Amino acid sequence: MIGLADTSALSAWATAGLLQPAEVHGASVLVRSDPAADDTVLLAAALALWAPLHGHACIDLVDVQAMAVAALATGAADGFEPVDRSTATARVVALQWPTLATWLEALRATPLCRVVAPGTHLAEADWYDDRPLVLDGNLLYTQRQWIDERTVADRLLRRCAGQATTPLSAEADTLLTRLLPPELDGTPNPQHRAATTALGTDLSVIVGGPGTGKTHTIARLLVAMLREADVRGEPLRIALAAPTGKAAARMAEAIHSAIESLAGDATLAPSLDILREVQPSTIHRLLGGRGQRTRFVHGPARPLDADVVVIDEASMVALPLMARLVDALRPAARLVLVGDPDQLESIEVGSVLADIVTAAATPGSAVATHVVRLTRPHRQEAGSPIGPLADLIRDGRVDDVVATLRRAPASLVLSDRTNTTGSNDAGSDDTTGSNANTPASIAFVDTGAIELGHIGTAQVDRRVGEAILGPLRAAAIAAAAGDAAAALDDLADVRLLCAHRVGAHGVQRWNRTIESWLREGQPAQRDYAGRPLLATRNDQRQRIANGDTGVIIDTPGGRRAAFRTGGGLRLFAPAQLDDVETAYATTIHKSQGSEYDTVVVVLPPATSPLIGRELLYTAITRARRRVLIVGSIAAVVACTNTPARRVTGLGAALGSPAASADISAAQ
């Protein structure tokens, strides 16, 4: 029996904070079947195992040092605290990295690694191999990640190459034109184009920022599909799903709202009745989870019994789950992916939606005609600067972003009921040029002015209090009166979002601060009336999803935790809920899929490893009407100039004209 390989060559990478014991041990297991494998292969195997733990599908041997710096800076490896980027760079540069030529030579020589030519199409029977590593050009994968990526690329390209769908009947076409006109205000309507794309192909991808009308489009698309099915005398089986329970609940609310907006049209009643019966679920539940993250009831041998599958919040779907989903679809089923590719990526592996959109921009790509971006704003009020600011951030136009914020006032006052924090800074002589009595859609407090002595931290806190305390006090009053619905409504009006959980700019600090403002002079209690709650884990027993929000209320029977779920308003004894936390403030990551009338965004310093374009974009687009950004100009510049990067080969695979041609020829 071959023993475990000597892993002492990896000790420097472990000491630097890059490799954990799991990756070191895993690499030793992988290379033990090749006694001739040298330290170069051992390091490559460890990094191939390391990559998915940091969101990457593979490692790029050309750019692996940059990947390592980013991982150290964000502290993504369990057990290690993030370090500043200069320290991370110094640690990585000090390691003895193989040259690209040395790495490629060693990997091509070892029987542990399979070498495939990039951009080539392989028949599915040729995907599987007993070698644990796959070298695809300069990208090194574990076999599992490579097969997942191949599965997604192959299934999506096959849908693009499928035969044209039968044209719509005249009745359904007329209905679609009425529901989603081809033109609005004399300009082409992208919602109409998105619907016609979905009706004419087996794959459609509808992307756009919050408020661009994605749910509006989907609801009307499904009504037209149902009418077409009725004309043909064929039932239409629809499945709606999202990656999390919270996202599925939001999808249900949005679809129901869109249905009710059409309810006055009697001719649509039969289709609307059918659509009301379709309940969105999580993708795991749709596929028939077996208690494991990657094993499901539905798959190639037992496909989903659905003619149309709509996946919302597709940017949050990780590569492995997307692979299981596309593998479980019937060949004739239509797949509609909906989401915002500019938001934060999945917390797990890959960036599937963003990769599809990137591939669509490649000349000759098969997916180019299947992706439609919605741009017309609907959620924000007419003239609101939130949407335009989000576009500037998304496009990396840093000078315009800074100019927009410099023009914004520093105060965001919601109503006459709003009070200040009660801080000692009661003066109005700050030098920011704000007008505390002027409501604004966007406000900006430049915390860089603290270092210059222009404002103090108490003034920053006062600005935050002006923006949020009115609704929070109203929620506390409603909760004390036992009015759970009103308390939840008030809490849903406002949220403070942070990049960090801990530290001066983090969730924990702001939850304590806001709690002290609201509870001044009252005895310390854990479960007090008005305390907002956030579920941090799925609770199957109580039927509460990770991300659901609630509030503690007073009732004749004592304190209760009230949650509004798909089953309506439900009350629990606080002791029944283990995985909840106070939620005046939450992380930006946890806010995805949610929206609030007012959002306060607290940015970390410009040197924070969590700084990023997607972080700022996601945070401000949670706001329907008003947003207050608290941070330095340097932090805003760093965010706008720092797009996220997930290393995958999916975008290249979907964008390859040669691969598309090979699949078309094989069908």
Side-chain angles (χ1 to χ4, degrees), residues 217-234:
T217 303
I218 290 300
R220 284 157 175 75
L221 164 66
L222 293 174
V223 168
M225 285 182 169
L226 286 165
R227 175 61 62 84
E228 176 69 5
D230 185 56
V231 169
R232 298 183 184 279
E234 301 170 351

Side-chain angles (χ1 to χ4, degrees), residues 65 68 210 218 220 367 375 452 458 485 565 642 654 664:
Q65 292 188 47
I218 290 300
R220 284 157 175 75
V367 298
T375 57
L452 300 175
T565 66
T642 311
L654 292 172
S664 296

Side-chain angles (χ1 to χ4, degrees), residues 315-328:
S315 65
M316 299 167 63
V317 183
L319 175 67
L321 184 58
M322 186 64 79
R324 305 291 84 74
L325 172 68
V326 296
D327 228 10

Side-chain angles (χ1 to χ4, degrees), residues 268-346:
L268 302 180
S271 297
L272 296 180
D273 288 343
I274 294 173
L275 198 51
R276 285 189 184 95
E277 297 299 316
V278 182
Q279 293 299 316
S281 73
T282 64
I283 300 174
H284 283 80
R285 184 171 297 173
L286 175 68
L287 295 177
R290 290 175 166 170
Q292 301 180 44
R293 297 169 69 88
T294 58
R295 296 292 179 266
F296 300 96
V297 171
H298 293 289
R302 188 179 176 184
L304 288 167
D305 188 24
D307 303 302
V308 179
V309 177
V310 181
I311 304 298
D312 198 15
E313 296 289 357
S315 65
M316 299 167 63
V317 183
L319 175 67
L321 184 58
M322 186 64 79
R324 305 291 84 74
L325 172 68
V326 296
D327 228 10
L329 299 176
R330 295 168 51 247
R334 288 192 179 107
L335 174 64
V336 183
L337 300 177
V338 186
D340 186 350
D342 303 304
Q343 288 190 108
L344 290 163
E345 312 96 332
S346 160

Side-chain angles (χ1 to χ4, degrees), residues 389 392-393 396-408 442 444 446 616 629 632-641:
L389 177 59
L392 295 175
I393 294 168
R397 295 169 56 183
V398 64
D399 291 342
D400 292 330
V401 171
V402 170
T404 298
L405 294 183
R406 286 196 186 280
R407 291 193 299 267
I442 291 179
F444 175 59
D446 181 6
L616 180 56
I629 300 172
S632 66
I633 288 291
V636 171
V637 170
C639 278
T640 309
N641 281 335

Side-chain angles (χ1 to χ4, degrees), residues 124-385:
E124 187 171 349
D126 297 327
W127 293 354
Y128 302 93
D129 193 279
D130 59 1
R131 287 168 285 188
L133 301 176
V134 180
L135 181 64
D136 190 337
N138 294 324
L139 303 180
L140 181 67
Y141 299 77
T142 64
Q143 186 190 84
R144 177 178 177 179
Q145 303 301 331
W146 184 78
I147 288 177
D148 280 348
E149 200 170 89
R150 284 276 166 163
T151 299
V152 173
D154 180 84
R155 302 301 187 260
L156 295 185
L157 288 174
R158 286 182 184 278
R159 293 186 169 279
C160 294
Q163 295 181 358
T165 304
T166 304
L168 279 180
S169 66
E171 184 179 352
D173 188 55
T174 299
L175 174 62
L176 180 64
T177 298
R178 178 160 62 88
L179 296 177
L180 293 171
E183 289 189 355
L184 288 175
D185 301 325
T187 60
N189 180 6
Q191 295 178 344
H192 180 83
R193 186 161 71 88
T196 55
T197 298
L199 286 162
T201 65
D202 291 336
L203 171 69
S204 58
V205 183
I206 302 173
V207 299
T212 53
K214 296 188 294 292
T215 305
H216 175 94
T217 303
I218 290 300
R220 284 157 175 75
L221 164 66
L222 293 174
V223 168
M225 285 182 169
L226 286 165
R227 175 61 62 84
E228 176 69 5
D230 185 56
V231 169
R232 298 183 184 279
E234 301 170 351
L236 184 71
R237 297 161 296 183
I238 298 171
L240 306 177
T244 67
K246 175 184 175 182
R250 301 295 177 269
M251 185 184 193
E253 293 170 4
I255 291 288
H256 178 75
S257 177
I259 290 172
E260 294 312 308
S261 70
L262 298 171
D265 189 335
T267 64
L268 302 180
S271 297
L272 296 180
D273 288 343
I274 294 173
L275 198 51
R276 285 189 184 95
E277 297 299 316
V278 182
Q279 293 299 316
S281 73
T282 64
I283 300 174
H284 283 80
R285 184 171 297 173
L286 175 68
L287 295 177
R290 290 175 166 170
Q292 301 180 44
R293 297 169 69 88
T294 58
R295 296 292 179 266
F296 300 96
V297 171
H298 293 289
R302 188 179 176 184
L304 288 167
D305 188 24
D307 303 302
V308 179
V309 177
V310 181
I311 304 298
D312 198 15
E313 296 289 357
S315 65
M316 299 167 63
V317 183
L319 175 67
L321 184 58
M322 186 64 79
R324 305 291 84 74
L325 172 68
V326 296
D327 228 10
L329 299 176
R330 295 168 51 247
R334 288 192 179 107
L335 174 64
V336 183
L337 300 177
V338 186
D340 186 350
D342 303 304
Q343 288 190 108
L344 290 163
E345 312 96 332
S346 160
I347 61 172
E348 299 180 46
V349 181
S351 51
V352 176
L353 185 65
D355 287 342
I356 295 171
V357 173
T358 298
T362 304
S365 167
V367 298
T369 59
H370 296 258
V371 177
V372 178
R373 182 180 284 275
L374 306 184
T375 57
R376 186 176 297 275
H378 290 277
R379 177 183 300 163
Q380 286 93 6
E381 294 176 351
S384 167

